């Protein structure tokens, strides 16, 4: 009797994911220490983990992983993944895996009922592609294949599976298709019709997934869904693995949130550090705490008042500024992002900001013991804290990013800490801190002015509509 699946509801239909992980991956074994392809590590997690976690990001909660090569090792690993990620992950054995990946897809037929997602363990992809596949289905009875029209951007076009299209209809598929309109991105939203097609292709001597898809094309039971600008990568060789590593690191940060210093100085360094940290057991939250301790050490050294310690303090807080990007990068690279981590990072950054301003003020007060020194420190501290608070409150109230422009750049933390490094190098950290504090207040006033103008504009618009 066939096993029925119970999964999280996506739209109107339960949707499990079938991940093909049975192949040997002989071309990749030369660059991964002889591991089975699904266990190939990429920036701290395996290719199979990335496939499962990407699907989980899109809402999938039940998985069937088809295994063949190194079966016992793979089954043990899959059971571990299920416990670790809190999702249902079951290994499906395919004794005929050497006959082609179509036999691996066919091996899952006793375990799924109705529509299901089909993915390859060696493909990296944006979870939004899965969401788009689900939306594009729209009650249709045909299968869907995600395709990429950006053929000029494919890493190894010769090895890619080409697709010819007539609108949304797929008219041909294969590695030798010319001319081509798109490339198979390796993600399908399938119906049981696929199993019938794979069975017929297998009886005809073709055990490939492409063979089954070709039969669906002949019956008009498969359509294309373009992925637009979403990313995906096929990892088959040591060269493509290196390319995938560079690509993931390049896209791991959000340039919209970065200031000038973060974008042009901190990120190029932090990404290299993150590439090393990804292979360790350090969690993003542990990196956040470590980074805060470095900032606090810098604050303490500022309080000593001597140039050598001031210089070292400036270097430490700049290191802290660089590492401030690593926790988020690791979280995104290893699918460990969470609300608590973002909140912890914000809170500890504010503690570090207060400590740094207090340390600079105390160090300057040792040689200038006047009460006004502390007033300047208080001015800087309130500017630093309110800069962050004002931006976050603006985003919450207006549901959009704070206004841009040059004033907004002055209140970004990366610019502030770099300015304090320059102050340390010049042995003028207090004076630079006061200047940066004033600029922070100026940036806050700028946000208020923009918010006021926007409010006036919206009010005028409502009055015009009423009239």
């Amino acid at each position: 009797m066939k096993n029925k699946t119970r999964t999280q509801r996506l739209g109107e239909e339960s949707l499990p994911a079938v991940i093909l992980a049975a192949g040997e991956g002989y071309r990749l074994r030369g660059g991964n220490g002889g591991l089975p392809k699904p266990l190939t590590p990429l920036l701290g997690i395996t290719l199979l983990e990335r496939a499962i976690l990407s699907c989980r990001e899109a809402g999938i909660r039940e998985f069937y992983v088809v295994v063949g090569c190194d079966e016992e090792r793979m089954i043990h690993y899959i059971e571990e993944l299920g416990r670790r990620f809190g999702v249902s992950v079951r290994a499906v054995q395919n004794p005929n895996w050497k006959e082609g990946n179509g036999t691996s897809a066919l091996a899952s037929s006793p375990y799924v009922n109705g529509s299901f997602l089909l993915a390859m363990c060696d493909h990296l992809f944006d979870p939004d592609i899965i969401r788009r596949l689900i939306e594009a289905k729209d009650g249709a009875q045909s299968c869907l294949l995600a395709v990429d029209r950006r053929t000029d951007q494919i890493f190894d076009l010769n090895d890619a599976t080409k697709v010819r299209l007539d609108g949304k209809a797929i008219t041909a598929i294969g590695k030798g298709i010319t001319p081509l309109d798109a490339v198979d991105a390796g993600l399908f939203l399938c119906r049981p019709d696929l199993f019938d097609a794979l069975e017929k292709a297998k009886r005809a001597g073709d055990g490939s997934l492409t063979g089954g898809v070709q039969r669906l094309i002949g019956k008009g039971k498969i359509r294309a869904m373009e992925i637009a600008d979403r990313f995906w990568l096929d990892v088959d060789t040591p060269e493509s693995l290196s390319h995938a590593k560079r690509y993931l690191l390049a896209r791991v940060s959000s340039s919209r949130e970065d200031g000038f210093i973060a974008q042009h100085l901190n990120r190029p360094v932090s990404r290299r550090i993150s590439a090393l940290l990804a292979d360790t057991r350090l969690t993003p939250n542990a990196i956040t705490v470590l980074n805060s301790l470095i900032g606090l050490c810098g604050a303490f050294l500022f309080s000593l008042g001597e140039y050598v310690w001031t210089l070292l303090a400036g270097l430490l807080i700049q290191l802290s500024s660089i590492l401030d990007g690593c926790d988020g990068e690791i979280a995104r690279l290893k699918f460990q992002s969470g609300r608590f981590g973002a909140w912890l990072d914000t809170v500890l950054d504010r503690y570090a900001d207060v400590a740094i301003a207090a340390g600079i003020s105390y160090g300057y007060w040792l040689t200038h013991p006047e009460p006004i020194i502390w007033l300047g420190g208080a001015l800087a501290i309130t500017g630093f804290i309110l800069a962050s608070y004002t931006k976050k409150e603006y985003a919450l109230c207006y549901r959009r990013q704070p206004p841009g422009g040059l004033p907004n750049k002055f209140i970004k933390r990366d610019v502030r800490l770099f300015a304090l490094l320059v102050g340390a190098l010049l042995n003028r950290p207090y004076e630079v801190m006061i200047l940066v504090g004033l600029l922070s207040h100026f940036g806050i006033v700028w946000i208020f002015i923009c918010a006021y103008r926007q409010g006036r504009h919206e009010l005028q618009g409502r009055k015009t509509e009423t009239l």
Side-chain angles (χ1 to χ4, degrees), residues 42-57:
L42 174 58
L43 293 170
I45 59 177
T46 65
L47 292 179
L48 179 56
E49 282 182 89
R50 287 193 176 276
I52 291 175
L53 292 173
S54 295
C55 291
R56 191 181 70 170
E57 287 281 303

Side-chain angles (χ1 to χ4, degrees), residues 117 185 263:
L117 179 76
Q263 185 176 358

